[in-house]
Amino acid sequence: MASKPKKSKSKSKSKQRKSNSLSESSSTAWYYLLAIFPVLLLILTSQVLRNLISPPPSDFGSGSMFDLIATRYDFINRALSLNLDMSWRHKLVEKVVGTKGELFAGNGGGDSVKILDLATGTADVAILLGKAASRYKTHSDSPEASSTVLGLDPSRSMLNVGEAKIEEADLSNIVRLQLGDARNLDSLEDDTFNAATMSFGIRNVPEKDEALCEIHRVLKTGSSTESKLAIMEFSEPGPDSGILGSVARLFIRHVVPAMGAVLSGYPKEYMHLQKSIKDFPSPSEFVALMEGLRCPVKDGDELSINSVGSFRVKEVVNMNGGSVQIYLATPILKTYVTE
C-alpha cells in the first residue's frame, strides 16, 4: 500500500520535467525568432529598394556622393561593420609602419618619412598614421626630418570632418588633408613618398590602372629602403569560403544596403556600396591586376622605352570571413631588352 503514493509522486515529477523542457524549448524558439526577425526585415527592405531604385552606375562613387553622407559616415561605418572597421584600419597601419615602427627607423634616422593616404575620407587612417609618426618620430632636431602624412580625397565635406578630427587629436603639425583624385596626382612630385595607403577607395575608381600607376609614380623607387603600398578593400567571399564567408556574403548583399539606407537616408548611395563590392575583382584577380601593370616611367625628362612600372604583391591579409583584404606591395621597375 505504501508504494503507490511513491509511484504517483514519480509520475508527477516526470510530467513537471517535460513541462519545463517544453517551456525552455518554446523560450529558445522565440529567442531565435526575435534574433532572426531584424535580419529578415533588412533582407526584405533590401529587395524592396532594388525594385524601387535603379542600380547606380559603376562610377557613382564620386566625391559628390560622399559629400551627401559625410556627417554620418563614421557612425554608419561603425554600425555596418559591427564596430570592427577600426580594428581593420589598425591592422593596415601596423602592416605599413611595422610593429616597432620599422618604417621610420629604416629610413636613415635623420630623414623625414612621407606617407600618402589616398581616399582618406574622414581621415581615420591618416590620424592613425599621424599617431604612429608622432610615436616613432626621429630624434633629429631638424624640422625637415619630421615625418608627415598627406591625406587626399575628392570629397570636400569628408575632408571637413577629417580636419576637425585631426585638430581634436592635436596632429595638425603632422597630418595635412587636401582635395585630390587618385587618378590625377599632378600636384605631387615623382619619387616622393615612403609609403602610400588606400582604404576602401580603389573599388570606387573605374580606372584602377590609372590610379595605381599614379601611386607608383609618386612612391620612391630604387632607393636603399623599399617604399610600400597598402590597399585595404572589400570583396564578396566566394562559394568556397565556408560558413563565415556565407554569412559575410549575405550581410554585404542584403544587410549593408538596407541598413545603410535606413541610417543615412540615402538608399542609392548604399546600393552603390553593395554593388561596388560585388563588382570588385577577387583577391587573386586584383593581385594579377597590380602585378600586370605597365606604368610609364621617366628616364630623365623623357619616357623610358625599355622600362615600365608595376607592383610586386608581397602579402594578402584576409579578414572578416574573407570579405576584407589588405594587399601589401612594393613598386618595381621591369626592364625589357630591345634589339
Side-chain angles (χ1 to χ4, degrees):
M1 294 290 294
S3 62
K4 286 183 181 178
K6 286 184 182 178
K7 196 168 185 181
S8 176
K9 201 177 209 180
S10 175
K11 283 183 180 178
S12 176
K13 284 183 180 179
S14 176
K15 285 181 181 178
Q16 184 65 36
R17 281 197 297 269
K18 285 181 181 178
S19 176
N20 289 341
S21 177
L22 286 171
S23 178
E24 287 174 8
S25 298
S26 177
S27 297
T28 302
W30 275 108
Y31 173 80
Y32 282 122
L33 185 61
L34 289 172
I36 291 170
F37 179 74
V39 177
L40 294 175
L41 184 61
L42 287 169
I43 290 173
L44 178 62
T45 304
S46 173
Q47 294 300 324
V48 170
L49 288 173
R50 284 189 174 89
N51 290 329
L52 293 177
I53 300 171
S54 58
S58 59
D59 60 350
F60 188 72
S62 62
S64 58
M65 184 200 94
F66 285 96
D67 283 336
L68 294 173
I69 59 176
T71 55
R72 307 204 75 194
Y73 181 79
D74 286 345
F75 165 71
I76 296 169
N77 264 2
R78 308 299 178 261
L80 292 182
S81 69
L82 306 179
N83 215 31
L84 292 172
D85 68 304
M86 285 307 295
S87 68
W88 305 335
R89 296 176 206 273
H90 277 282
K91 185 70 173 178
L92 173 78
V93 171
E94 181 187 292
K95 287 291 183 180
V96 173
V97 170
T99 54
K100 298 180 179 178
E102 291 88 341
L103 176 69
F104 304 98
N107 196 48
D111 296 332
S112 65
V113 172
K114 291 182 171 61
I115 307 172
L116 176 64
D117 182 39
L118 293 156
T120 194
T122 60
D124 279 335
V125 169
I127 288 169
L128 292 176
L129 290 166
K131 287 179 178 179
S134 178
R135 190 182 313 123
Y136 299 113
K137 62 184 176 182
T138 60
H139 297 290
S140 171
D141 294 327
S142 169
E144 287 78 16
S146 59
S147 298
T148 57
V149 178
L150 174 62
L152 262 63
D153 198 273
S155 167
R156 181 68 259 175
S157 296
M158 295 282 275
L159 294 178
N160 290 342
V161 175
E163 283 165 353
K165 289 162 64 175
I166 290 165
E167 189 174 344
E168 186 180 349
D170 196 24
L171 289 169
S172 299
N173 60 326
I174 297 175
V175 183
R176 181 169 60 90
L177 303 186
Q178 181 178 311
L179 202 65
D181 189 320
R183 295 166 294 186
N184 184 353
L185 303 177
D186 284 352
S187 62
L188 306 178
E189 295 181 3
D190 296 1
D191 203 37
T192 300
F193 292 93
N194 303 88
T197 57
M198 193 173 193
S199 302
F200 308 120
I202 193 69
R203 74 176 189 283
N204 290 319
V205 180
E207 302 84 1
K208 294 174 179 54
D209 53 344
E210 289 182 23
L212 290 167
C213 283
E214 276 290 82
I215 296 169
H216 186 282
R217 179 181 65 78
V218 301
L219 281 173
K220 291 185 175 181
T221 53
S223 58
S224 56
T225 305
E226 283 186 335
S227 59
K228 300 179 180 180
L229 169 62
I231 291 178
M232 182 160 64
E233 194 50 270
F234 289 116
S235 69
E236 195 171 272
D240 57 347
S241 54
I243 295 174
L244 280 177
S246 298
V247 171
R249 191 163 59 249
L250 175 73
F251 195 85
I252 290 168
R253 288 183 180 180
H254 301 289
V255 177
V256 164
M259 195 170 171
V262 170
L263 294 175
S264 71
Y266 292 99
K268 196 164 188 174
E269 281 65 22
Y270 281 89
M271 284 183 67
H272 165 75
L273 173 60
Q274 182 272 325
K275 184 177 182 297
S276 65
I277 296 171
K278 180 176 70 70
D279 294 344
F280 192 73
S282 69
S284 60
E285 289 170 339
F286 190 61
V287 169
L289 188 155
M290 292 181 73
E291 295 190 331
L293 288 169
R294 296 172 60 88
C295 303
V297 295
K298 285 186 177 179
D299 184 3
D301 292 331
E302 303 293 329
L303 287 176
S304 172
I305 60 171
N306 296 327
S307 299
V308 294
S310 186
F311 287 96
R312 179 179 294 115
V313 179
K314 293 194 165 185
E315 185 182 2
V316 179
V317 180
N318 281 290
M319 299 180 291
N320 204 51
S323 64
V324 179
Q325 285 78 34
I326 299 174
Y327 302 88
L328 297 160
T330 55
I332 60 171
L333 296 175
K334 294 179 180 178
T335 303
Y336 298 94
V337 178
T338 58
E339 296 181 358

